[in-house]
Amino acid sequence: MAAVMSQLAPPPAASRLLLSGNEAVARAVWESGVRVAAAYPGTPATEIIESLARYPDLHAEWSVNEKVSMEVALGASMTGARAFCAMKHVGLNVASDCLMTMTITGAYGGLVVAVADDVGLSSSQNEQDSRYWGRFAHLPVLEPADSQEAYEMTKFAFGFSEQYETPVLLRLTTRICHVKGLVAVGEREAHEPPGFVKNPERWVMVPAHARTRIPNLFQRDETLRAVSEASPLNILEAGTDRSVGFVASGPAYMHVKEAFPNAPVLKLGFSYPWPPQKVRELAALCDKLVVVEETEQLLETEIKAAGIACHGKDVLPRMGELSPQVLGPAVDRLLGRPVPPPPPAAAPMKVFPRPPTLCASCPHMGIYYTLAQIKNIIVTGDIGCYTLGAGHPWNALDTTICMGATMGVALGIDKGRGAVDKNKRIIAVIGDSTFMHMGMQGLLNITYNKGNITVLLLDNNTTGMTGGQATPASGKDIHGQDAPRVDLAKVVEALGVANERIKVVDPYELPILFKTIRDEIKVDAPSVIIARRPCVLIDDFKPFRPYLVEEDKCTGCGNCIEVGCPAIHVTRREKVIKPSGREVELAFVNIDNQACTGCGLCVQPCAPDAIQHVPRRDIPIHIVKTSSTS
């Protein structure tokens, strides 16, 4: 990530740009005169704010979590400014506390919330359908089908929000967020906020005030349903093949058109509230009606409840993308058409197995290598790059649920354990960005309730999993400019951890790391070990001199492999019989000098001292001393 994020010189109106859906949304937000945009990084939504931060004349920020980002956007809207926030689907769960009250207050300045659903679980712990938030919160939902529509619907949403005084949900999916297309763009429009108007009955949501506003919400439902019936975003295409018709939205519409180009289709760009009359018109045009939804059967259920016969999840998969290859055979079977057998699969290529793993020299490897050596422990994990510690070769994480859950789960295990777990030690692992997102409350809960837990706080100075975004502990803002830097050790102490129970270690120094963990888990009190070393992919990381393996010294013990570094490659294996009669497999290795950054993790468990520095003088060797706050 560059030290300073440069601003764009925006292309002029009528330009056609090749943009991803995320970039198209960002461009439309800027053109709409938005003054404040906030988000917490999360795939597949991350690039929206990253792109938007490059535009001039607005405030863009990484907030500490999604709830805060929504509150920031709502505050800006209260002044009459146009405001925007973005998050992935699980982020909206975090922000829902604000969302469910914000729908009652409504919006003043145009307020748009982009939520990106990870259909197919490419980078998420669950697959959820954010359209339900529209129904639950009584909010309009717009669903673009490509980058051009993402741009157009975003611009439309701000005016719509102001016209009906409502926040608007812009539901994206991974395919919309990351696929690029040509987008015709325009100019930024000026939008001067009229200013905050004191109105406690609207903005102070005590029960008495909320009761008076909830009827407005129900009235808005009725108004928006009528608007949906007439909206140009909901398009009925008559088609010529009347055997089957489709209701679809977002990228599912594109899949339908590819698989059944001549079928009648109701394309829902304004998908909630949905237009019952238009669905009835479509049903009259076809013999069978199929509702194509990624991922839940929200519309199918409501269409059936309205007395309109249809098919949906009875013939289509309930998870994953509904690509033409999935959609076509499923609908053909419904219609009784012959479904040709799939073409014979090509013989699988024999490739060296490479499961998802950490980067070469990742500081988290030392943590998991050490945890794998310690017995009689339960290790709770969290969301981030370090979730990979659950995999080979470490197998060092026992739980991962959601952002910040490592703290609460660890305390629950501590307080709920019985005799079988009585002597086990509990370790909670969390990253620095996740700690500030949702972990601080969990640590406070541990100290307040006297939990016997050791927390490993992995401080790599960035939000690593989503691309190296700045955090309050990195000392940089979204533009790469200097910002106040949070002292994690002081925060931990302020949350109730005794000063003598706070240790700062270098995760590259395995003996010190091992001893520190062993010492702290023996103490019957909350403790925090801050493992501090920059992510290898950010500018703060400075490489060391790389290593090589001296083949004549390598005994094939395989100790270095257990570190888990992808720069280490097994060159040959052989089985030998020990004097005891036991058969063992030896693994001889080399090190990819181009990938190795010289962290030294593999050197420390190497018994025969076969791993040595590459004889280079152009890369200085950095020696970092470990400090502690004892």
Side-chain angles (χ1 to χ4, degrees):
M1 187 174 182
V4 177
M5 184 178 285
S6 60
Q7 290 188 333
L8 294 173
S15 297
R16 297 188 74 204
L17 308 176
L18 185 64
L19 301 177
S20 67
N22 283 343
E23 293 167 332
V25 170
R27 173 74 189 202
V29 169
W30 176 74
E31 286 186 17
S32 299
V34 165
R35 295 174 68 89
V36 175
Y40 180 83
T43 304
T46 304
E47 298 83 7
I48 299 176
I49 295 292
E50 283 188 331
S51 300
L52 192 53
R54 295 180 178 271
Y55 286 96
D57 308 322
L58 84 166
H59 169 78
E61 71 172 45
W62 288 128
S63 303
V64 295
N65 64 34
E66 295 86 358
K67 178 178 182 288
V68 171
S69 77
M70 186 173 288
E71 292 159 351
V72 169
L74 176 58
S77 173
M78 288 176 178
T79 71
R82 288 187 167 180
F84 174 81
C85 65
M87 58 204 69
K88 68 183 295 179
H89 61 292
V90 290
L92 192 49
N93 301 338
V94 177
S96 62
D97 191 18
C98 177
L99 181 77
M100 296 304 291
T101 300
M102 186 170 76
T103 186
I104 301 174
T105 67
Y108 183 26
L111 178 53
V112 178
V113 178
V115 55
D117 286 2
D118 190 9
V119 177
L121 293 90
S122 63
S123 183
S124 303
Q125 68 269 37
N126 65 39
E127 183 184 55
Q128 79 189 41
D129 192 331
S130 294
R131 294 177 304 155
Y132 272 102
W133 286 111
R135 190 181 192 281
F136 192 17
H138 303 268
L139 292 177
V141 178
L142 306 182
E143 292 191 72
D146 57 23
S147 293
Q148 182 68 50
E149 287 193 0
Y151 165 84
E152 292 171 354
M153 287 188 185
T154 302
K155 294 192 70 174
F156 171 84
F158 285 102
F160 191 90
S161 172
E162 289 165 350
Q163 181 178 356
Y164 296 100
E165 297 189 349
T166 178
V168 176
L169 291 180
L170 181 72
R171 190 226 184 185
L172 310 169
T173 68
T174 302
R175 187 164 293 273
I176 297 299
C177 292
H178 291 164
V179 171
K180 294 199 172 190
L182 286 174
V183 179
V185 301
E187 298 280 11
R188 178 171 168 88
E189 61 182 81
H191 186 85
E192 184 64 26
F196 181 81
V197 178
K198 290 182 180 293
N199 185 354
E201 289 77 13
R202 180 175 186 181
W203 302 123
V204 181
M205 278 293 96
V206 295
H209 295 164
R211 287 190 196 100
T212 64
R213 292 197 60 83
I214 287 177
N216 298 338
L217 180 150
F218 296 141
Q219 180 57 53
R220 187 175 74 205
D221 276 350
E222 296 305 313
T223 300
L224 293 182
R225 191 170 298 281
V227 171
S228 179
E229 289 284 7
S231 174
L233 300 180
N234 293 332
I235 303 169
L236 180 57
E237 302 173 357
T240 56
D241 180 1
R242 304 302 175 86
S243 60
V244 61
F246 299 92
V247 178
S249 60
Y253 164 77
M254 296 297 198
H255 299 325
V256 167
K257 293 300 289 182
E258 184 174 342
F260 298 93
N262 299 318
V265 181
L266 175 56
K267 178 182 183 293
L268 295 178
F270 185 171
S271 65
Y272 191 84
W274 62 281
Q277 186 54 39
K278 280 192 173 178
V279 175
R280 294 184 193 279
E281 292 176 23
L282 172 66
L285 293 176
C286 56
D287 300 330
K288 293 183 184 294
L289 180 62
V290 178
V291 183
V292 183
E293 302 178 88
E294 298 175 340
T295 57
E296 298 283 351
Q297 55 194 87
L298 186 155
L299 273 175
E300 177 191 347
T301 301
E302 296 202 355
I303 289 171
K304 287 178 176 177
I308 305 171
C310 66
H311 295 275
K313 295 304 181 184
D314 56 329
V315 296
L316 299 175
R318 297 193 63 174
M319 63 180 291
E321 289 189 305
L322 300 179
S323 67
Q325 293 73 26
V326 172
L327 186 62
V331 174
D332 284 340
R333 278 190 288 269
L334 171 68
L335 299 177
R337 295 173 179 171
V339 179
M349 295 178 61
K350 292 184 178 181
V351 296
F352 186 81
R354 178 65 75 190
T357 191
L358 297 167
C359 301
S361 297
C362 175
H364 302 334
M365 287 193 299
I367 298 292
Y368 292 127
Y369 174 79
T370 302
L371 290 177
Q373 315 304 313
I374 301 175
K375 306 303 179 184
N376 210 34
I377 59 175
I378 299 173
V379 183
T380 61
D382 223 293
I383 304 297
C385 297
Y386 51 90
T387 309
L388 291 166
H392 182 79
W394 315 283
N395 304 312
L397 285 183
D398 299 313
T399 74
T400 298
I401 304 300
C402 62
M403 293 286 279
T406 184
M407 302 292 193
V409 170
L411 183 63
I413 292 173
D414 179 34
K415 299 300 183 182
R417 59 175 137 182
V420 69
D421 295 319
K422 178 181 178 182
N423 296 319
K424 292 180 180 177
R425 301 296 177 172
I426 301 169
I427 299 174
V429 179
I430 192 167
D432 52 337
S433 181
T434 309
F435 176 72
M436 290 176 286
H437 175 282
M438 199 57 74
M440 293 187 289
Q441 301 93 324
L443 179 58
L444 178 60
N445 198 51
I446 287 172
T447 59
Y448 178 66
N449 290 290
K450 302 181 178 65
N452 184 12
I453 294 158
T454 299
V455 176
L456 279 171
L457 176 45
L458 312 186
D459 180 12
N460 65 355
N461 204 30
T462 191
T463 309
M465 184 172 66
T466 52
Q469 291 77 25
T471 76
S474 67
K476 301 290 182 182
D477 64 14
I478 193 171
H479 303 289
Q481 304 285 0
D482 289 341
R485 186 169 194 160
V486 170
D487 187 324
L488 292 176
K490 289 182 179 179
V491 170
V492 165
E493 185 174 9
L495 291 171
V497 180
N499 182 269
E500 63 271 17
R501 297 272 67 81
I502 304 171
K503 308 295 181 182
V504 180
V505 300
D506 183 343
Y508 282 174
E509 297 180 359
L510 295 181
I512 295 175
L513 176 63
F514 184 85
K515 183 178 186 304
T516 304
I517 295 175
R518 288 297 300 266
D519 288 348
E520 291 305 312
I521 64 176
K522 292 176 183 176
V523 178
D524 292 333
S527 62
V528 174
I529 301 169
I530 302 173
R532 181 166 291 157
R533 173 66 70 167
C535 169
V536 298
L537 300 181
I538 66 174
D539 292 342
D540 289 344
F541 177 78
K542 306 300 180 187
F544 305 92
R545 189 187 305 166
Y547 286 94
L548 54 76
V549 177
E550 295 187 359
E551 294 184 9
D552 57 334
K553 291 185 179 180
C554 180
T555 62
C557 69
N559 290 345
C560 59
I561 299 173
E562 298 305 312
V563 171
C565 181
I568 300 174
H569 300 281
V570 176
T571 56
R572 64 185 176 92
R573 298 179 186 271
E574 64 180 61
K575 293 182 178 180
V576 299
I577 306 296
K578 292 288 186 179
S580 63
R582 184 170 62 93
E583 183 181 73
V584 298
E585 183 177 75
L586 303 181
F588 297 87
V589 304
N590 65 17
I591 295 175
D592 182 350
N593 301 148
Q594 298 302 311
C596 177
T597 61
C599 69
L601 286 171
C602 61
V603 178
Q604 298 171 70
C606 180
D609 199 27
I611 301 176
Q612 301 291 331
H613 279 298
V614 170
R616 292 172 58 185
R617 299 181 183 276
D618 55 321
I619 300 180
I621 299 176
H622 301 276
I623 300 175
V624 179
K625 294 183 178 180
T626 302
S627 61
S628 70
T629 58
S630 59

